[in-house]
Amino acid sequence: MTYQFTVSPDFSPDHISGWYIFNTWLQKQTGEAIHLEMYDSFQHQREAIQQEKVDLIYANPYDAAMLVRKKGFLPVAKACGVSDEAVVAVSAENSVDHVEQLQPGIKVAVTEDPDIRLMGMIMLEPADLNASNIEVIVNGTYVLVAKQLLQGNADVGIFFAEAFDDLSDFIKSKLKILVRSQISVIHHSLMIGPKFAYKRNEIVGLLEKMGEDEKGGGVLKSLGFKGWEKVDDEEMEFMIDLMDTLAV
Amino acid sequence: MLHDMRPEDIVGEFREKTLDLYGGYRRAVLYTEIETPYPDGKLIVSTTNKDGIITHANKSFVEMSGYTEDEILYAPHSILRHPDMPPAAFKDLWDTVNRGEHWQGYVKNLRKDGGYYWVKATVIPNIRQAKVVSYTSVRRKPSRTKVEECTQLYPTLF
Ligand SMILES: Cc1cc2nc3c(=O)[nH]c(=O)nc-3n(C[C@H](O)[C@H](O)[C@H](O)COP(=O)(O)O)c2cc1C
């Protein structure tokens, strides 16, 4: 049978080919037919998960609870040494220097990335801001979030920290960071579904050794990863619990 | 068991109070009016066993408490109990998580140096194989308006 692999739609556009290369590598290593399906939105991806079409997913932490608790997925691995962090920024011309100075009614530019949005909203709470007293503007990319700030269409932007750091120096010079999260324990993870789970240990082993040969090293490079490290059940459960506390 | 706080650990002028803790324990605490601001962008995380003994604490937790990790681990969570916190708040916390639900509230915590810090805490039961195995609290930065509300409200709850 052919298994379906998919990647959280918040993947960086620079690494889209990396995921295809990774999928080819994984098929060779496991001897299984795996089809990579890239969904253009979280909603479409979640529909596919509901229909049990997905067997392997590089998942956003926000979806991990649903994958594990409702769909029987198990954690496999995460990228070494990286975590999902959020940045809350304003235009450099804005007189606001601290989150606490932000006022109700402001416009907040975000993307659909659910975990980053959640972390960003938590960092706005010290100003008594929440979904009920701000106006959210959803954008397709973080460059567009930055543009909303530069053009004065939004007051605050919530960014994936890595995407913020990857903005051009010119754009960054026009923005001012109010706060950057340092949470460290929230991360994307490769997760495996019930039909494919018998391959879990084998895939963990393959991923852990991936950097050791030239070919695997090249694939890692195209993903922008230093390597993979195993995620065990308890680490995943703990991350899900932590996301739960943030969602209320 | 928690030992009494020691004057040599305290920074600044302090007052003293004896707390009656769960299980009949008493602890003399020394506390000052010095507030340590909540660190921006961080979460303060700890896990306890079912008896409220700390089994895991992240770096921010250790830093904010003023204790070393060794002093924190396996101590009762009431090591942070501030005399200004009404007992009813913690009763509600335990009653809520014992029902398997999330508890959320604003907590004034006591540091080893006698100072304090405010947090917005969410406490949840950690459920594994359908059983509660531990509890985790994740704290975030509270808004000043909420802290001020609690500063007014809490003295009325004793
Ligand atoms: C996961 C968890 C985290 C807790 N965090 C705190 C805390 O930060 N500060 C605190 O004073 N009590 C905290 N408590 C409550 C204490 O266990 C304790 O009930 C409280 O300090 C009052 O002490 P007493 O129960 O001995 O009267 C926590 C309890 C749990 C289960």
Side-chain angles (χ1 to χ4, degrees), chain B residues 19-23 25 46-54 61 76-82 85 87 90-91 93-94 97 107-110 117 119 121-124 126 134-139:
Chain B
L19 297 178
D20 289 306
L21 298 174
Y22 185 76
Y25 295 117
S46 64
T47 299
T48 73
N49 65 15
K50 296 217 276 187
D51 300 322
I53 305 292
I54 299 171
F61 184 100
H77 219 307
S78 49
I79 191 168
L80 301 184
R81 170 76 199 281
H82 196 284
M85 280 301 294
F90 297 115
K91 182 176 185 304
L93 182 163
W94 280 103
V97 295
V107 180
K108 184 178 188 176
N109 274 329
L110 179 62
Y117 58 98
V119 300
T122 308
V123 184
I124 60 160
N126 303 118
S134 53
Y135 300 103
T136 293
S137 177
V138 177
R139 295 103 179 155

Side-chain angles (χ1 to χ4, degrees), chain B residues 9-144:
Chain B
D9 291 331
I10 308 303
V11 178
E13 245 182 275
F14 61 85
R15 286 189 283 168
E16 180 165 355
K17 198 159 193 175
T18 302
L19 297 178
D20 289 306
L21 298 174
Y22 185 76
Y25 295 117
R26 308 192 88 199
R27 184 189 196 208
V29 293
L30 311 179
Y31 60 108
T32 72
E33 293 302 318
I34 302 171
E35 177 166 12
T36 301
Y38 192 102
D40 271 320
K42 294 191 182 178
L43 297 176
I44 298 176
V45 184
S46 64
T47 299
T48 73
N49 65 15
K50 296 217 276 187
D51 300 322
I53 305 292
I54 299 171
T55 54
H56 164 84
N58 75 350
K59 199 161 145 248
S60 304
F61 184 100
V62 175
E63 282 169 9
M64 281 301 275
S65 74
Y67 291 95
T68 65
E69 189 171 3
D70 285 346
E71 289 171 316
I72 284 290
L73 281 181
Y74 307 109
H77 219 307
S78 49
I79 191 168
L80 301 184
R81 170 76 199 281
H82 196 284
D84 291 349
M85 280 301 294
F90 297 115
K91 182 176 185 304
D92 183 47
L93 182 163
W94 280 103
D95 289 349
T96 306
V97 295
N98 281 331
R99 286 195 305 267
E101 294 167 18
H102 292 41
W103 181 86
Q104 199 162 57
Y106 294 86
V107 180
K108 184 178 188 176
N109 274 329
L110 179 62
R111 290 166 51 89
K112 184 182 182 180
D113 66 8
Y116 67 89
Y117 58 98
W118 279 97
V119 300
K120 177 178 179 181
T122 308
V123 184
I124 60 160
N126 303 118
I127 298 166
R128 305 286 182 268
Q129 273 89 46
K131 283 205 186 76
V132 174
V133 295
S134 53
Y135 300 103
T136 293
S137 177
V138 177
R139 295 103 179 155
R140 29 181 142 148
K141 188 175 189 177
S143 81
R144 269 345 273 184

Side-chain angles (χ1 to χ4, degrees), chain A residues 19-56:
Chain A
W19 287 110
Y20 283 97
I21 296 166
F22 173 76
N23 189 50
T24 306
W25 176 88
L26 193 61
Q27 292 189 78
K28 280 218 185 88
Q29 298 289 320
T30 57
E32 298 290 341
I34 307 169
H35 165 73
L36 173 58
E37 183 76 37
M38 295 298 234
Y39 293 95
D40 59 0
S41 72
F42 281 94
Q43 197 202 323
H44 289 146
Q45 186 172 73
R46 286 183 193 134
E47 282 165 14
I49 295 165
Q50 287 314 321
Q51 293 159 9
E52 286 164 18
K53 286 183 181 161
V54 174
D55 303 299
L56 188 68

